[in-house]
Amino acid sequence: MNILKQLLKKNKVYFFNYDKNSFFEGLYRFFGILMAPMLIKINPNFISFLSLLSGFIGFVLYIFFSIKIIYIVIFFLFSFILDFTDGLVARFINKTSFHGRFIDGLFDILVTSFLHIVFFIYLIENEIVQTKSIHFIIILVVIFLVPIQHLLLDRYAAIARWCNDLGAKKKIKPYLRDDFLGGLTKFLFDIQHLCIWLILFNYYIDNNFLITLFFSASGIASILNLTIYIYLSKKNFSGEENPLDNN
């Protein structure tokens, strides 16, 4: 109980505070805090692995065993909660590391990609998307953009820090997405996760509509993120040189 109180106190600023994070990020963080006391003695990197495993199990159960989508969603929601739990545990027991951040980000990309593929196959099986149609191609592009946007964001952040270490003419912030879009990226994240939760508890809205909306929000978010960071790389890195490259 003492662990729970400490975690709640340290993280209360993030609960449903749109200045800090999206609504569903706050929700997953809250659920992660509730789970953290049960996992406090487990290595945080192993919790990250459990997050990946949960998403992978959901992926395999749908692809190879055709389990109903409502049950598959539960595995992915559990994965999202564990994704917040690992960081909470790591900070509480002072075991944060760059390796932990690396595998956490990598597993995030994999789980998110698994979910996109599951939803894509669901639309095909329900004949909402016809192969070789424009709808089919657009969703394929959205799925492809999921890892690409994360790769570009991480690449930009790494080079920004590199420039700063080498004495850049001006300090470059590694992450600027919210500076440009404000709450829009958080809103698009919330739209995607609202669709996921509605599939679990929904009795009135068609799942095909929810999944189509999910892909729409995902695609818009990816395009915005790619556009912003390509623009920022041109703006912030064009005037910077790496002395090591010039020797």
Side-chain angles (χ1 to χ4, degrees), residues 181-193:
L181 297 178
L184 181 56
T185 52
K186 298 169 189 170
F187 174 73
L188 291 170
F189 180 90
D190 278 342
I191 290 294
Q192 293 175 68
H193 286 261

Side-chain angles (χ1 to χ4, degrees), residues 103-162:
I103 63 171
D104 182 58
L106 175 61
F107 292 170
D108 285 350
I109 295 171
L110 291 173
V111 171
T112 303
S113 298
F114 291 156
L115 180 61
H116 278 69
I117 294 171
V118 165
F119 281 169
F120 183 38
I121 293 174
Y122 180 89
L123 292 179
I124 293 175
E125 290 178 343
N126 284 271
E127 300 182 348
I128 302 301
V129 173
Q130 305 295 327
T131 56
K132 299 182 180 180
S133 67
I134 186 65
H135 196 182
F136 179 89
I137 295 172
I138 289 173
I139 294 180
L140 274 181
V141 171
V142 171
I143 294 173
F144 175 74
L145 289 179
V146 169
I148 294 300
Q149 66 161 322
H150 288 285
L151 173 64
L152 183 60
L153 188 154
D154 289 342
R155 183 69 173 166
Y156 177 90
I159 294 179
R161 293 190 177 98
W162 191 4

